[in-house]
């Protein structure tokens, strides 16, 4: 008579992923899995797969989070600086515009890919949206 052994422990646990390491690799626009392959094919267009390790990146669902966090960060840098400059030197409004509009644009363009890469890295580390394996539908 065959003996049936019931699996009471469920599937084997997956190895943990460092969310901080994955976010840092994403911040420098690198694959969250290997840290060497480029994550973007354009400015912020995410590759389907990492060209180095083959990790599938199309699972990412960063959506509106990168612009939201970029605006949040840039606003918290530019506005205090603007207020300090106004308080100390009271420059003409055209001087303010000549300083802060380009500064805002440059900071936004520098931070947007980094923030998007970080969010994708976090999603990868937390195995969100299919990064952890197959999604049952
Ligand atoms: Zn990779």
């Amino acid at each position: 008579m065959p003996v049936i052994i019931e699996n009471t422990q469920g599937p084997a646990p997956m190895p943990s992923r460092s969310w901080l390491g994955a976010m840092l690799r994403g911040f420098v626009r690198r694959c969250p899995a290997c840290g060497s392959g480029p994550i973007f094919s354009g400015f912020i267009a995410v590759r389907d797969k990492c060209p180095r390790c083959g990790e599938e990146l199309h699972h990412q669902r960063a959506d509106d989070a990168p612009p939201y966090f970029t605006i949040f960060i840039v606003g918290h840098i530019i506005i205090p600086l603007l207020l300090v400059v106004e308080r100390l030197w009271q420059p003409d409004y055209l001087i303010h515009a000549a300083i802060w509009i380009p500064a805002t644009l440059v900071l936004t363009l520098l931070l947007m890919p980094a923030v998007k890469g970080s969010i994708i890295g976090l999603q990868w580390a937390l195995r969100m949206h299919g990064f952890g394996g197959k999604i049952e539908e």
Side-chain angles (χ1 to χ4, degrees):
M1 184 167 217
V3 176
I4 298 174
I5 300 172
E6 192 173 320
N7 181 1
T8 58
Q9 298 175 347
M14 294 179 159
S16 65
R17 294 172 173 171
S18 163
W19 63 269
L20 183 60
M23 286 185 78
L24 289 174
R25 289 189 290 270
F27 190 84
V28 294
R29 306 176 196 187
R30 296 293 167 196
C31 166
C34 67
S36 63
I39 196 171
F40 299 120
S41 60
F43 179 58
I44 53 173
V46 181
R47 294 175 186 271
D48 284 343
K49 284 184 171 184
C50 172
R52 294 279 167 83
C53 70
E55 178 74 23
E56 292 184 353
L57 301 169
H58 63 86
H59 300 296
Q60 64 86 21
R61 295 289 178 269
D63 298 336
D64 293 339
Y68 173 83
F69 287 114
T70 301
I71 290 168
F72 182 83
I73 294 166
V74 169
H76 280 79
I77 293 170
I78 295 295
I79 298 300
L81 290 175
L82 185 150
L83 293 174
V84 166
V85 168
E86 174 61 24
R87 187 78 169 194
L88 292 178
W89 298 292
Q90 297 93 28
D92 189 61
Y93 290 129
L94 287 176
I95 301 295
H96 271 302
I99 295 170
W100 304 117
I101 291 173
T104 302
L105 288 173
V106 167
L107 204 54
T108 300
L109 293 174
L110 287 175
L111 279 177
M112 180 71 86
V115 170
K116 185 169 184 176
S118 297
I119 290 170
I120 293 169
L122 181 63
Q123 291 178 345
W124 176 85
L126 298 178
R127 301 178 190 279
M128 297 169 68
H129 313 298
F131 275 124
K134 292 183 179 177
I135 296 177
E136 295 182 25
E137 296 182 24

